[in-house]
Amino acid sequence: METIRAVVFDLYGTLIRIHTDEEDLERVWKPMTFYYGYHGAKYDGPDQLRRAYRAEVRRRQHAADVRFGPGCGEVALEQVLEALFRKKGAPWVTGEMVRGAGTLLRACSTDQAELYPGVHQLLDTLRGAGKKVFLLSNAQRLFTWPEMTMLELCSRFDRIFLSSDWGIKKPSPDYFGLVLQECGCPPDQVMMVGNSIHDDIAPARALGMHTCFLNTDGLNETPECDLVCEGADYEKLLQTLLPGTASAGVW
């Protein structure tokens, strides 16, 4: 597929192995309750705060889906976390307070956040060969940018698209349209690489893009796509996009 001029990657489950659990009252919502209390927003225990968080997310998600279609609207969690301060009458709410709440929520709920082996080499090799490399992720900038910075990813893309910045998310064709416009080439010269059939592969194919499915979740289902990789098999992906690269010792 040497005619591919641009490669669009999903993030979580494609480049980053991630596992989070936002449900744990002791590990997640107890420290969050203290944090909100420190800033004048006093909740009657972790369960009340967790329920308030869920309700605010549901309310905003419904409004986003009404506007952009079911499953295609995105919520900005900064707005959710800010609303939780105001709900309990915090005397003031600053951006720093909201970012702090987001950082605490993510840190306390994360069990694992690491690159699959070979991510840096993959991205650097593609760009070194003249391919444009983009990120199209259903993700919250509040969480994702610090994780990408920690994992040294931010500078390895020509442009990064995070759904919380745009208010829409995959599988919306409008969200794909943003990155296709940035690619500057027809869809049949772009490959989408992802681990979700519903969010990555099916909508990309519908738009005429080439697709690579990374089966990092061990699914039994095999989607219609141009390339299937069991796990994060970046060597197979590279050999498809740049024949001879791995055998030449670049990988």
Side-chain angles (χ1 to χ4, degrees), residues 14 18 24 29 33 40 56 78 82 93 104 117 122 132 143 158 202-203 236:
T14 298
I18 189 82
D24 193 298
W29 294 101
T33 303
E56 189 66 25
E78 291 96 332
E82 179 180 348
V93 183
L104 182 62
L122 169 68
K132 292 184 177 180
F143 300 157
D158 290 283
K236 184 177 181 180

Side-chain angles (χ1 to χ4, degrees), residues 27-105:
R27 193 181 78 177
V28 179
W29 294 101
K30 186 173 183 178
M32 287 289 288
T33 303
F34 281 120
Y35 183 86
Y36 272 82
Y38 296 158
H39 293 90
K42 297 180 181 180
Y43 283 84
D44 296 330
D47 186 56
Q48 187 188 51
L49 177 56
R50 184 177 65 177
R51 284 187 283 108
Y53 172 81
R54 289 172 174 171
E56 189 66 25
V57 170
R58 283 195 303 269
R59 186 181 72 80
R60 292 177 180 272
Q61 186 65 64
H62 175 73
D65 286 345
V66 167
R67 181 178 179 186
F68 295 107
C72 291
E74 182 62 287
V75 173
L77 282 185
E78 291 96 332
Q79 296 174 6
V80 172
L81 297 171
E82 179 180 348
L84 295 178
F85 281 110
R86 299 195 185 281
K87 181 180 178 67
K88 287 296 184 176
W92 62 82
V93 183
T94 67
E96 183 179 0
M97 287 164 56
V98 173
R99 288 189 295 272
T103 299
L104 182 62
L105 174 60

Side-chain angles (χ1 to χ4, degrees), residues 138-212:
N138 289 355
Q140 296 291 324
R141 177 171 290 274
L142 187 65
F143 300 157
T144 298
W145 197 260
E147 287 170 351
M148 291 183 64
T149 299
M150 175 181 72
L151 297 171
E152 300 179 3
L153 283 178
C154 298
S155 64
R156 288 184 153 90
F157 297 94
D158 290 283
R159 187 165 179 185
I160 293 168
F161 291 87
L162 304 178
S163 57
S164 67
D165 292 342
W166 300 91
I168 53 175
K169 63 185 178 183
K170 299 178 289 186
S172 169
D174 292 333
Y175 192 34
F176 278 89
L178 294 172
V179 73
L180 285 173
Q181 183 177 9
E182 192 72 18
C183 288
C185 55
D188 63 0
Q189 294 179 8
V190 182
M191 174 173 274
M192 178 71 207
V193 182
N195 72 314
S196 171
I197 299 172
H198 178 266
D199 289 341
D200 300 319
I201 305 305
R205 282 179 61 82
L207 292 170
M209 301 167 67
H210 289 277
T211 52
C212 171

Side-chain angles (χ1 to χ4, degrees), residues 101-119:
T103 299
L104 182 62
L105 174 60
R106 189 64 161 187
C108 290
S109 62
T110 300
D111 297 310
Q112 185 179 46
E114 63 187 21
L115 295 177
Y116 290 101
V119 168

